[in-house]
Amino acid sequence: MPSSNKKVVHSSVIESFDLPLGVELQRRSVLPSPTRSQAEGSKPAAEKSASLVSALSRSRKSSFGARKKNNDSSSRKMPSLTLTPNDALSSSVHLDTLLDTMHPVPHPIPPVPVQTQIQRITIRLVGGFREKMRKHNSCLGWASIFLPAMAWLQTYDFRNSLFADAVAGLTVGIMVVPQSMSYAKLAGLPVEYGLYSAFMPVFAYAAFGSSRQLAVGPVALVSLMLSTSLGHIIPDPDENKEVYVQLAIQVSMMVGFTYIVLGALRLGFITIFLSHAVISGFTNGAAVIIGMSQVKYILGAPVERSDVLHEVVENIVHVMDKFNWKTFVFGSSCIFLLLLMKHIGKTYPRYSFIRAVGPLAVTALSIILTVAFKLDKKGIDVVGEIPSGLPEISFSQWNPLGASMVKAGDLISPVLSISIIGFMESIAIAKQLAVKHQYELDSSQELLGLGMANLIGAMFSSYPVTGSFSRTAVNNDTGAKSGISALVTALLVGAVLLFLTPVFSKMPTATLGSIVISGVLGLIDLEEGRFLFKVHKLDFVVWLVSFIGTMFLGVEIGLGIAVGLSLLLVLYESAYPHLPVLGRLPGTNVYRNIKQYPNAILYPGIVICRIDAPIYFANTQNIREKIDKYELAAARNAINMVANEDTPERVEDTENDASFEMLTSLTNIREIRYIVVDMSPVSHIDTAGIHLLEEMWKEYNKRKIQLCLCNPEIFVMEKLWASGLAGKIGVDYIYCNTHDAVKSCLSKMEQRTSSISDQEEKADIERSLSSLKHNESAMEGSVLIANGDGLED
């Protein structure tokens, strides 16, 4: 650190002291820069702080008296005293330093009997039920438990919010009509099923969902997954259209039941096992497949369906002799207009509405041109007749085994994949908007809301739906305040179904394809790959494998690869935990990773390491191997070359810090005396972990090496006592912090010096003890108060 920075730190110490009684004092250590440059000391500032603290220390023999305050027993805060420099020099303050204080680990609280635990759980449940009865003392209050819409309807401001919700709902409705028809075409269904999926499911989610801005309906990714999955089940979807439609409705029904079960069991957490890199790679790969699948509508050629990139490209090449230049010009113009309007809406906030009305504007223009110039009779394909009227009830198609082509279990894979991806796409944007608008979003209720949307949609001829990124963003930008906007959107779609379907029958299929292509271009984010490559190479590899696997192996296999990679990453990170070797920062009682802090001090005969993960059956072997490796390396004077599987350059600066005149290597040490394991990050330990520590203790005991544990959590300590391991290791060797352990180990080694005949080893131990005391005394020269985060890293 430059001297100017250090002066600022010490002057702040001199100007004001806030010394909690009974708190350990430490000197702030500077985080090393990535270039491992050493900080330069600031002697004048250090001398000023040393003189001040020295005066405080000389006055410690004076009676200061107990400054007890009658604080509230629930707060239990330590009393503090704020001193100016003059007051500090004239007052007698007892400084609780590490020179004469040890902190024993308390005995854990005795375990509560099972019967008592059951009684407590019963009381808690009854109390929670009574609390709900107190809060929901009306019919509307009780209804809000099952219908979240009742909760916000009770406080809805019709005067100030209704107009904004109506505008937002109309805007999204204008956007969803052409989009839903395009996505139905992508799913391999007639276009009217896209409108059906944007009708009843929207009503259902408005009543049962917890997000007030989420726009539910057909989306490109789910449509592609449905088309791919059912395409593998039905040999020829075009010739078996009725069976294909029936299976789509059945998938929606089963997805709805899946969401409801997951929500009732509060299992939404299972999606967190899909990492960001995996999802990003999968989404990019799927976006490419979606875009390529729509090229046939732009070319006007009958391209055979496929869900892998190389086959799609091959099929396109084979039909290039049937290329229709009129359709290509028309479709390319639609794509250009859509991208231009989207760009204007994003670039100029004043014209943001242009982005939302883009799909409808291009649709209306294409219909007008088709009717005016009779393009449908000049080689440009159109949608054709669309049945008018509201969707029919489809209960009769709910039997998954009703179709003769379907075997039991054929729909399980598409249901699970659509459920996982659909929920992740929905919950991601819903949580962001909930935080932005400052209301609570219940993930379990969100699962129930999506489940009811799919289930009720399946009753009225809908295929699977979820939250849409693009429409939700437009809904929020146009001022949506509640689910009223979703009701307005659904009413607009219903009006289109009743009165405007003949108009859309003249819509060119090239326009449908252009809407899908312009929409999925926003899903392609190659910049994320560059970012991952720059920041984390392993995440980049995962992203690349997921991206390439989805494009060249298919969407379902790509999703399977994504899930498999996520689980492998979880297992890898837990089975190979970070286990650094620690050293003491000069002049402090803080112990840090010697790779990150190359100037950290090591002690002869003592190996200090930290386990940065819970200890359970999957990582016990790796933990044992690393500790054994560190012990062997220490005995061979090479611990600094194997810590953290790297070779850090040990930089020593004995001129800037007198405390460096202690032993920083393990030269001439004949054997390891103590293994100190910092267990601060260990939040859990199972029986395999207990056996690991017991085996280590037995082996070390035979070799006259003492195992020491530092700062075990209360749950870990309970397991150590219950297994009897704490008694075997000895309470005297379980410490509150690492510095207590090192100081105790050196003290015990000092007691052995009188019986040691090896003068070199004896001199090493004496030098370590002398340096430790010298540094603790020097530590009082530049003191900063512990900030309550603890002394361990």
Side-chain angles (χ1 to χ4, degrees), residues 1 6 9-10 26-33 39 583-592 596-597 599-600 657 779 782-785 791:
M1 172 185 284
K6 247 185 177 179
V9 172
H10 289 296
Q26 64 175 351
R27 188 177 75 178
R28 177 173 296 176
S29 297
V30 184
L31 184 68
S33 65
R584 187 170 66 83
L585 299 184
T588 73
N589 56 1
V590 178
Y591 290 76
R592 293 292 184 265
Q596 187 179 9
Y597 294 85
N599 62 339
D657 198 330
M779 186 172 60
S782 52
V783 190
L784 286 178
I785 307 306
L791 297 175

PDB file of all heavy atoms in Angstrom, residues 1 6 9-10 26-33 39 583-592 596-597 599-600 657 779 782-785 791:
ATOM      1  N   MET A   1       0.850  -1.194   0.000  1.00  0.00           N
ATOM      2  CA  MET A   1       0.000   0.000   0.000  1.00  0.00           C
ATOM      3  C   MET A   1       0.880   1.236   0.000  1.00  0.00           C
ATOM      4  O   MET A   1       1.838   1.315   0.751  1.00  0.00           O
ATOM      5  CB  MET A   1      -0.897  -0.016   1.246  1.00  0.00           C
ATOM      6  CG  MET A   1      -1.688   1.268   1.445  1.00  0.00           C
ATOM      7  SD  MET A   1      -2.593   1.209   2.997  1.00  0.00           S
ATOM      8  CE  MET A   1      -3.889   0.129   2.549  1.00  0.00           C
ATOM      9  N   LYS A   6      -1.707   4.522   3.928  1.00  0.00           N
ATOM     10  CA  LYS A   6      -1.533   4.059   5.293  1.00  0.00           C
ATOM     11  C   LYS A   6      -1.664   5.196   6.285  1.00  0.00           C
ATOM     12  O   LYS A   6      -2.166   5.046   7.378  1.00  0.00           O
ATOM     13  CB  LYS A   6      -0.178   3.377   5.434  1.00  0.00           C
ATOM     14  CG  LYS A   6      -0.302   1.877   5.706  1.00  0.00           C
ATOM     15  CD  LYS A   6       1.008   1.225   5.973  1.00  0.00           C
ATOM     16  CE  LYS A   6       0.772  -0.245   6.310  1.00  0.00           C
ATOM     17  NZ  LYS A   6       2.029  -0.926   6.558  1.00  0.00           N
ATOM     18  N   VAL A   9      -5.256   5.711   7.033  1.00  0.00           N
ATOM     19  CA  VAL A   9      -5.794   4.696   7.935  1.00  0.00           C
ATOM     20  C   VAL A   9      -5.419   5.005   9.378  1.00  0.00           C
ATOM     21  O   VAL A   9      -6.256   5.002  10.274  1.00  0.00           O
ATOM     22  CB  VAL A   9      -5.276   3.298   7.541  1.00  0.00           C
ATOM     23  CG1 VAL A   9      -5.669   2.280   8.574  1.00  0.00           C
ATOM     24  CG2 VAL A   9      -5.830   2.920   6.174  1.00  0.00           C
ATOM     25  N   HIS A  10      -4.141   5.340   9.624  1.00  0.00           N
ATOM     26  CA  HIS A  10      -3.718   5.548  10.997  1.00  0.00           C
ATOM     27  C   HIS A  10      -4.251   6.850  11.565  1.00  0.00           C
ATOM     28  O   HIS A  10      -4.561   6.932  12.745  1.00  0.00           O
ATOM     29  CB  HIS A  10      -2.185   5.529  11.066  1.00  0.00           C
ATOM     30  CG  HIS A  10      -1.612   4.157  10.846  1.00  0.00           C
ATOM     31  ND1 HIS A  10      -1.843   3.129  11.706  1.00  0.00           N
ATOM     32  CD2 HIS A  10      -0.842   3.648   9.853  1.00  0.00           C
ATOM     33  CE1 HIS A  10      -1.229   2.031  11.286  1.00  0.00           C
ATOM     34  NE2 HIS A  10      -0.619   2.335  10.146  1.00  0.00           N
ATOM     35  N   GLN A  26      -7.001  -5.856  16.099  1.00  0.00           N
ATOM     36  CA  GLN A  26      -6.173  -6.365  15.012  1.00  0.00           C
ATOM     37  C   GLN A  26      -5.769  -5.218  14.100  1.00  0.00           C
ATOM     38  O   GLN A  26      -6.436  -4.211  14.046  1.00  0.00           O
ATOM     39  CB  GLN A  26      -6.917  -7.418  14.187  1.00  0.00           C
ATOM     40  CG  GLN A  26      -8.141  -6.857  13.473  1.00  0.00           C
ATOM     41  CD  GLN A  26      -8.765  -7.903  12.592  1.00  0.00           C
ATOM     42  OE1 GLN A  26      -8.198  -8.956  12.399  1.00  0.00           O
ATOM     43  NE2 GLN A  26      -9.916  -7.598  12.049  1.00  0.00           N
ATOM     44  N   ARG A  27      -4.665  -5.402  13.400  1.00  0.00           N
ATOM     45  CA  ARG A  27      -4.246  -4.431  12.401  1.00  0.00           C
ATOM     46  C   ARG A  27      -4.802  -4.830  11.049  1.00  0.00           C
ATOM     47  O   ARG A  27      -4.807  -5.988  10.692  1.00  0.00           O
ATOM     48  CB  ARG A  27      -2.718  -4.380  12.314  1.00  0.00           C
ATOM     49  CG  ARG A  27      -2.238  -3.235  11.406  1.00  0.00           C
ATOM     50  CD  ARG A  27      -0.735  -3.151  11.381  1.00  0.00           C
ATOM     51  NE  ARG A  27      -0.190  -4.236  10.571  1.00  0.00           N
ATOM     52  CZ  ARG A  27       1.124  -4.390  10.344  1.00  0.00           C
ATOM     53  NH1 ARG A  27       1.982  -3.566  10.884  1.00  0.00           N
ATOM     54  NH2 ARG A  27       1.551  -5.378   9.601  1.00  0.00           N
ATOM     55  N   ARG A  28      -5.311  -3.819  10.319  1.00  0.00           N
ATOM     56  CA  ARG A  28      -5.885  -4.105   9.009  1.00  0.00           C
ATOM     57  C   ARG A  28      -4.784  -4.572   8.063  1.00  0.00           C
ATOM     58  O   ARG A  28      -3.740  -3.964   7.969  1.00  0.00           O
ATOM     59  CB  ARG A  28      -6.560  -2.854   8.454  1.00  0.00           C
ATOM     60  CG  ARG A  28      -7.130  -3.057   7.054  1.00  0.00           C
ATOM     61  CD  ARG A  28      -7.918  -1.870   6.608  1.00  0.00           C
ATOM     62  NE  ARG A  28      -9.089  -1.695   7.457  1.00  0.00           N
ATOM     63  CZ  ARG A  28      -9.927  -0.673   7.333  1.00  0.00           C
ATOM     64  NH1 ARG A  28      -9.713   0.248   6.429  1.00  0.00           N
ATOM     65  NH2 ARG A  28     -10.960  -0.581   8.134  1.00  0.00           N
ATOM     66  N   SER A  29      -5.069  -5.650   7.323  1.00  0.00           N
ATOM     67  CA  SER A  29      -4.133  -6.162   6.331  1.00  0.00           C
ATOM     68  C   SER A  29      -4.676  -5.867   4.951  1.00  0.00           C
ATOM     69  O   SER A  29      -5.868  -6.001   4.694  1.00  0.00           O
ATOM     70  CB  SER A  29      -3.933  -7.671   6.490  1.00  0.00           C
ATOM     71  OG  SER A  29      -3.371  -7.923   7.752  1.00  0.00           O
ATOM     72  N   VAL A  30      -3.801  -5.487   4.056  1.00  0.00           N
ATOM     73  CA  VAL A  30      -4.209  -5.043   2.734  1.00  0.00           C
ATOM     74  C   VAL A  30      -4.355  -6.241   1.800  1.00  0.00           C
ATOM     75  O   VAL A  30      -3.489  -7.104   1.751  1.00  0.00           O
ATOM     76  CB  VAL A  30      -3.179  -4.050   2.165  1.00  0.00           C
ATOM     77  CG1 VAL A  30      -3.656  -3.522   0.817  1.00  0.00           C
ATOM     78  CG2 VAL A  30      -2.977  -2.910   3.147  1.00  0.00           C
ATOM     79  N   LEU A  31      -5.481  -6.289   1.080  1.00  0.00           N
ATOM     80  CA  LEU A  31      -5.673  -7.355   0.104  1.00  0.00           C
ATOM     81  C   LEU A  31      -4.668  -7.193  -1.019  1.00  0.00           C
ATOM     82  O   LEU A  31      -4.581  -6.135  -1.633  1.00  0.00           O
ATOM     83  CB  LEU A  31      -7.086  -7.278  -0.476  1.00  0.00           C
ATOM     84  CG  LEU A  31      -7.477  -8.377  -1.444  1.00  0.00           C
ATOM     85  CD1 LEU A  31      -7.592  -9.703  -0.702  1.00  0.00           C
ATOM     86  CD2 LEU A  31      -8.779  -8.034  -2.131  1.00  0.00           C
ATOM     87  N   PRO A  32      -3.886  -8.204  -1.320  1.00  0.00           N
ATOM     88  CA  PRO A  32      -2.858  -8.047  -2.356  1.00  0.00           C
ATOM     89  C   PRO A  32      -3.482  -7.881  -3.727  1.00  0.00           C
ATOM     90  O   PRO A  32      -4.528  -8.429  -4.017  1.00  0.00           O
ATOM     91  CB  PRO A  32      -2.070  -9.354  -2.265  1.00  0.00           C
ATOM     92  CG  PRO A  32      -3.030 -10.336  -1.690  1.00  0.00           C
ATOM     93  CD  PRO A  32      -3.905  -9.548  -0.754  1.00  0.00           C
ATOM     94  N   SER A  33      -2.828  -7.109  -4.563  1.00  0.00           N
ATOM     95  CA  SER A  33      -3.294  -6.903  -5.925  1.00  0.00           C
ATOM     96  C   SER A  33      -3.005  -8.143  -6.760  1.00  0.00           C
ATOM     97  O   SER A  33      -2.203  -8.984  -6.369  1.00  0.00           O
ATOM     98  CB  SER A  33      -2.590  -5.684  -6.540  1.00  0.00           C
ATOM     99  OG  SER A  33      -1.207  -5.944  -6.648  1.00  0.00           O
ATOM    100  N   ALA A  39       3.042  -4.146  -0.370  1.00  0.00           N
ATOM    101  CA  ALA A  39       2.735  -2.813   0.147  1.00  0.00           C
ATOM    102  C   ALA A  39       3.930  -2.266   0.907  1.00  0.00           C
ATOM    103  O   ALA A  39       4.647  -2.984   1.599  1.00  0.00           O
ATOM    104  CB  ALA A  39       1.519  -2.884   1.062  1.00  0.00           C
ATOM    105  N   GLY A 583      -1.357 -18.976   6.538  1.00  0.00           N
ATOM    106  CA  GLY A 583      -0.233 -18.372   7.231  1.00  0.00           C
ATOM    107  C   GLY A 583      -0.690 -17.088   7.896  1.00  0.00           C
ATOM    108  O   GLY A 583      -1.698 -16.496   7.501  1.00  0.00           O
ATOM    109  N   ARG A 584       0.050 -16.652   8.909  1.00  0.00           N
ATOM    110  CA  ARG A 584      -0.349 -15.449   9.643  1.00  0.00           C
ATOM    111  C   ARG A 584       0.185 -14.201   8.960  1.00  0.00           C
ATOM    112  O   ARG A 584       1.355 -14.131   8.586  1.00  0.00           O
ATOM    113  CB  ARG A 584       0.160 -15.503  11.094  1.00  0.00           C
ATOM    114  CG  ARG A 584      -0.360 -14.357  11.949  1.00  0.00           C
ATOM    115  CD  ARG A 584      -0.048 -14.587  13.414  1.00  0.00           C
ATOM    116  NE  ARG A 584       1.383 -14.561  13.672  1.00  0.00           N
ATOM    117  CZ  ARG A 584       2.090 -13.435  13.862  1.00  0.00           C
ATOM    118  NH1 ARG A 584       1.492 -12.262  13.786  1.00  0.00           N
ATOM    119  NH2 ARG A 584       3.376 -13.502  14.094  1.00  0.00           N
ATOM    120  N   LEU A 585      -0.693 -13.215   8.786  1.00  0.00           N
ATOM    121  CA  LEU A 585      -0.269 -11.948   8.220  1.00  0.00           C
ATOM    122  C   LEU A 585       0.613 -11.226   9.230  1.00  0.00           C
ATOM    123  O   LEU A 585       0.254 -11.150  10.422  1.00  0.00           O
ATOM    124  CB  LEU A 585      -1.479 -11.086   7.861  1.00  0.00           C
ATOM    125  CG  LEU A 585      -2.430 -11.682   6.821  1.00  0.00           C
ATOM    126  CD1 LEU A 585      -3.523 -10.683   6.499  1.00  0.00           C
ATOM    127  CD2 LEU A 585      -1.692 -12.069   5.560  1.00  0.00           C
ATOM    128  N   PRO A 586       1.735 -10.684   8.815  1.00  0.00           N
ATOM    129  CA  PRO A 586       2.682 -10.060   9.752  1.00  0.00           C
ATOM    130  C   PRO A 586       2.020  -8.954  10.567  1.00  0.00           C
ATOM    131  O   PRO A 586       1.312  -8.103  10.047  1.00  0.00           O
ATOM    132  CB  PRO A 586       3.759  -9.476   8.824  1.00  0.00           C
ATOM    133  CG  PRO A 586       3.668 -10.284   7.580  1.00  0.00           C
ATOM    134  CD  PRO A 586       2.234 -10.648   7.427  1.00  0.00           C
ATOM    135  N   GLY A 587       2.236  -8.999  11.880  1.00  0.00           N
ATOM    136  CA  GLY A 587       1.729  -7.968  12.763  1.00  0.00           C
ATOM    137  C   GLY A 587       0.268  -8.078  13.097  1.00  0.00           C
ATOM    138  O   GLY A 587      -0.296  -7.158  13.675  1.00  0.00           O
ATOM    139  N   THR A 588      -0.388  -9.187  12.729  1.00  0.00           N
ATOM    140  CA  THR A 588      -1.825  -9.348  12.995  1.00  0.00           C
ATOM    141  C   THR A 588      -2.070 -10.724  13.593  1.00  0.00           C
ATOM    142  O   THR A 588      -1.162 -11.564  13.684  1.00  0.00           O
ATOM    143  CB  THR A 588      -2.652  -9.226  11.706  1.00  0.00           C
ATOM    144  OG1 THR A 588      -2.457 -10.403  10.912  1.00  0.00           O
ATOM    145  CG2 THR A 588      -2.247  -8.002  10.893  1.00  0.00           C
ATOM    146  N   ASN A 589      -3.316 -10.939  13.998  1.00  0.00           N
ATOM    147  CA  ASN A 589      -3.745 -12.269  14.434  1.00  0.00           C
ATOM    148  C   ASN A 589      -4.628 -12.921  13.376  1.00  0.00           C
ATOM    149  O   ASN A 589      -5.424 -13.794  13.669  1.00  0.00           O
ATOM    150  CB  ASN A 589      -4.512 -12.175  15.758  1.00  0.00           C
ATOM    151  CG  ASN A 589      -5.696 -11.230  15.650  1.00  0.00           C
ATOM    152  OD1 ASN A 589      -5.965 -10.661  14.593  1.00  0.00           O
ATOM    153  ND2 ASN A 589      -6.409 -11.056  16.744  1.00  0.00           N
ATOM    154  N   VAL A 590      -4.487 -12.482  12.141  1.00  0.00           N
ATOM    155  CA  VAL A 590      -5.312 -12.957  11.028  1.00  0.00           C
ATOM    156  C   VAL A 590      -4.518 -13.968  10.211  1.00  0.00           C
ATOM    157  O   VAL A 590      -3.351 -13.733   9.890  1.00  0.00           O
ATOM    158  CB  VAL A 590      -5.755 -11.777  10.138  1.00  0.00           C
ATOM    159  CG1 VAL A 590      -6.568 -12.280   8.954  1.00  0.00           C
ATOM    160  CG2 VAL A 590      -6.565 -10.782  10.953  1.00  0.00           C
ATOM    161  N   TYR A 591      -5.175 -15.080   9.834  1.00  0.00           N
ATOM    162  CA  TYR A 591      -4.545 -16.148   9.055  1.00  0.00           C
ATOM    163  C   TYR A 591      -5.256 -16.245   7.708  1.00  0.00           C
ATOM    164  O   TYR A 591      -6.476 -16.343   7.637  1.00  0.00           O
ATOM    165  CB  TYR A 591      -4.627 -17.482   9.806  1.00  0.00           C
ATOM    166  CG  TYR A 591      -3.737 -17.500  11.020  1.00  0.00           C
ATOM    167  CD1 TYR A 591      -4.101 -16.820  12.179  1.00  0.00           C
ATOM    168  CD2 TYR A 591      -2.515 -18.171  11.015  1.00  0.00           C
ATOM    169  CE1 TYR A 591      -3.279 -16.812  13.297  1.00  0.00           C
ATOM    170  CE2 TYR A 591      -1.688 -18.172  12.126  1.00  0.00           C
ATOM    171  CZ  TYR A 591      -2.076 -17.483  13.254  1.00  0.00           C
ATOM    172  OH  TYR A 591      -1.254 -17.474  14.358  1.00  0.00           O
ATOM    173  N   ARG A 592      -4.452 -16.214   6.648  1.00  0.00           N
ATOM    174  CA  ARG A 592      -5.004 -16.192   5.309  1.00  0.00           C
ATOM    175  C   ARG A 592      -4.259 -17.174   4.400  1.00  0.00           C
ATOM    176  O   ARG A 592      -3.181 -17.668   4.735  1.00  0.00           O
ATOM    177  CB  ARG A 592      -4.911 -14.782   4.701  1.00  0.00           C
ATOM    178  CG  ARG A 592      -5.789 -13.750   5.398  1.00  0.00           C
ATOM    179  CD  ARG A 592      -7.264 -14.056   5.156  1.00  0.00           C
ATOM    180  NE  ARG A 592      -8.127 -13.025   5.732  1.00  0.00           N
ATOM    181  CZ  ARG A 592      -8.692 -13.100   6.931  1.00  0.00           C
ATOM    182  NH1 ARG A 592      -8.471 -14.165   7.689  1.00  0.00           N
ATOM    183  NH2 ARG A 592      -9.465 -12.135   7.368  1.00  0.00           N
ATOM    184  N   GLN A 596      -2.708 -16.406  -1.786  1.00  0.00           N
ATOM    185  CA  GLN A 596      -3.218 -15.059  -1.971  1.00  0.00           C
ATOM    186  C   GLN A 596      -2.345 -14.024  -1.272  1.00  0.00           C
ATOM    187  O   GLN A 596      -2.210 -12.895  -1.746  1.00  0.00           O
ATOM    188  CB  GLN A 596      -4.661 -14.969  -1.454  1.00  0.00           C
ATOM    189  CG  GLN A 596      -5.346 -13.648  -1.742  1.00  0.00           C
ATOM    190  CD  GLN A 596      -6.774 -13.612  -1.250  1.00  0.00           C
ATOM    191  OE1 GLN A 596      -7.208 -14.525  -0.537  1.00  0.00           O
ATOM    192  NE2 GLN A 596      -7.523 -12.592  -1.618  1.00  0.00           N
ATOM    193  N   TYR A 597      -1.764 -14.405  -0.152  1.00  0.00           N
ATOM    194  CA  TYR A 597      -0.884 -13.516   0.610  1.00  0.00           C
ATOM    195  C   TYR A 597       0.496 -14.168   0.697  1.00  0.00           C
ATOM    196  O   TYR A 597       0.798 -14.887   1.661  1.00  0.00           O
ATOM    197  CB  TYR A 597      -1.440 -13.273   2.016  1.00  0.00           C
ATOM    198  CG  TYR A 597      -2.740 -12.521   2.016  1.00  0.00           C
ATOM    199  CD1 TYR A 597      -3.951 -13.194   1.864  1.00  0.00           C
ATOM    200  CD2 TYR A 597      -2.778 -11.138   2.157  1.00  0.00           C
ATOM    201  CE1 TYR A 597      -5.158 -12.517   1.866  1.00  0.00           C
ATOM    202  CE2 TYR A 597      -3.978 -10.440   2.163  1.00  0.00           C
ATOM    203  CZ  TYR A 597      -5.159 -11.143   2.012  1.00  0.00           C
ATOM    204  OH  TYR A 597      -6.347 -10.454   2.011  1.00  0.00           O
ATOM    205  N   ASN A 599       3.282 -13.149   1.556  1.00  0.00           N
ATOM    206  CA  ASN A 599       4.124 -12.768   2.682  1.00  0.00           C
ATOM    207  C   ASN A 599       3.619 -13.321   4.008  1.00  0.00           C
ATOM    208  O   ASN A 599       4.120 -12.943   5.067  1.00  0.00           O
ATOM    209  CB  ASN A 599       4.223 -11.244   2.763  1.00  0.00           C
ATOM    210  CG  ASN A 599       2.863 -10.598   3.003  1.00  0.00           C
ATOM    211  OD1 ASN A 599       1.834 -11.224   2.734  1.00  0.00           O
ATOM    212  ND2 ASN A 599       2.854  -9.375   3.495  1.00  0.00           N
ATOM    213  N   ALA A 600       2.605 -14.202   3.983  1.00  0.00           N
ATOM    214  CA  ALA A 600       2.085 -14.773   5.221  1.00  0.00           C
ATOM    215  C   ALA A 600       3.138 -15.654   5.881  1.00  0.00           C
ATOM    216  O   ALA A 600       3.959 -16.292   5.212  1.00  0.00           O
ATOM    217  CB  ALA A 600       0.818 -15.579   4.947  1.00  0.00           C
ATOM    218  N   ASP A 657       9.113  -4.539   7.437  1.00  0.00           N
ATOM    219  CA  ASP A 657       8.364  -5.061   8.575  1.00  0.00           C
ATOM    220  C   ASP A 657       9.305  -5.885   9.439  1.00  0.00           C
ATOM    221  O   ASP A 657       9.797  -6.927   9.025  1.00  0.00           O
ATOM    222  CB  ASP A 657       7.200  -5.932   8.094  1.00  0.00           C
ATOM    223  CG  ASP A 657       6.168  -6.127   9.198  1.00  0.00           C
ATOM    224  OD1 ASP A 657       6.565  -6.114  10.368  1.00  0.00           O
ATOM    225  OD2 ASP A 657       4.985  -6.270   8.854  1.00  0.00           O
ATOM    226  N   MET A 779       1.748  -5.359  17.183  1.00  0.00           N
ATOM    227  CA  MET A 779       0.386  -5.253  16.688  1.00  0.00           C
ATOM    228  C   MET A 779      -0.367  -4.135  17.387  1.00  0.00           C
ATOM    229  O   MET A 779      -1.276  -3.531  16.838  1.00  0.00           O
ATOM    230  CB  MET A 779      -0.346  -6.577  16.900  1.00  0.00           C
ATOM    231  CG  MET A 779      -1.741  -6.645  16.287  1.00  0.00           C
ATOM    232  SD  MET A 779      -2.410  -8.294  16.400  1.00  0.00           S
ATOM    233  CE  MET A 779      -2.410  -8.535  18.167  1.00  0.00           C
ATOM    234  N   SER A 782      -0.369  -0.337  15.636  1.00  0.00           N
ATOM    235  CA  SER A 782      -1.284   0.167  14.606  1.00  0.00           C
ATOM    236  C   SER A 782      -2.547  -0.661  14.674  1.00  0.00           C
ATOM    237  O   SER A 782      -2.633  -1.721  14.084  1.00  0.00           O
ATOM    238  CB  SER A 782      -0.649   0.040  13.221  1.00  0.00           C
ATOM    239  OG  SER A 782      -0.188  -1.252  13.009  1.00  0.00           O
ATOM    240  N   VAL A 783      -3.510  -0.190  15.476  1.00  0.00           N
ATOM    241  CA  VAL A 783      -4.654  -0.998  15.851  1.00  0.00           C
ATOM    242  C   VAL A 783      -5.891  -0.534  15.097  1.00  0.00           C
ATOM    243  O   VAL A 783      -6.142   0.646  14.962  1.00  0.00           O
ATOM    244  CB  VAL A 783      -4.919  -0.889  17.364  1.00  0.00           C
ATOM    245  CG1 VAL A 783      -5.948  -1.913  17.790  1.00  0.00           C
ATOM    246  CG2 VAL A 783      -3.632  -1.101  18.125  1.00  0.00           C
ATOM    247  N   LEU A 784      -6.618  -1.501  14.624  1.00  0.00           N
ATOM    248  CA  LEU A 784      -7.949  -1.222  14.100  1.00  0.00           C
ATOM    249  C   LEU A 784      -8.916  -2.157  14.810  1.00  0.00           C
ATOM    250  O   LEU A 784      -8.568  -3.287  15.146  1.00  0.00           O
ATOM    251  CB  LEU A 784      -8.021  -1.455  12.596  1.00  0.00           C
ATOM    252  CG  LEU A 784      -7.333  -0.373  11.747  1.00  0.00           C
ATOM    253  CD1 LEU A 784      -7.440  -0.760  10.286  1.00  0.00           C
ATOM    254  CD2 LEU A 784      -7.958   0.972  11.982  1.00  0.00           C
ATOM    255  N   ILE A 785     -10.104  -1.692  15.035  1.00  0.00           N
ATOM    256  CA  ILE A 785     -11.065  -2.465  15.802  1.00  0.00           C
ATOM    257  C   ILE A 785     -11.684  -3.548  14.917  1.00  0.00           C
ATOM    258  O   ILE A 785     -12.010  -3.298  13.765  1.00  0.00           O
ATOM    259  CB  ILE A 785     -12.174  -1.544  16.332  1.00  0.00           C
ATOM    260  CG1 ILE A 785     -11.535  -0.374  17.095  1.00  0.00           C
ATOM    261  CG2 ILE A 785     -13.127  -2.294  17.233  1.00  0.00           C
ATOM    262  CD1 ILE A 785     -10.606  -0.803  18.179  1.00  0.00           C
ATOM    263  N   LEU A 791     -12.453 -13.021  13.113  1.00  0.00           N
ATOM    264  CA  LEU A 791     -11.034 -12.918  12.842  1.00  0.00           C
ATOM    265  C   LEU A 791     -10.593 -13.849  11.741  1.00  0.00           C
ATOM    266  O   LEU A 791      -9.485 -13.749  11.252  1.00  0.00           O
ATOM    267  CB  LEU A 791     -10.252 -13.222  14.124  1.00  0.00           C
ATOM    268  CG  LEU A 791     -10.501 -12.235  15.272  1.00  0.00           C
ATOM    269  CD1 LEU A 791      -9.776 -12.721  16.508  1.00  0.00           C
ATOM    270  CD2 LEU A 791     -10.042 -10.848  14.887  1.00  0.00           C
TER     271      LEU A 791
END
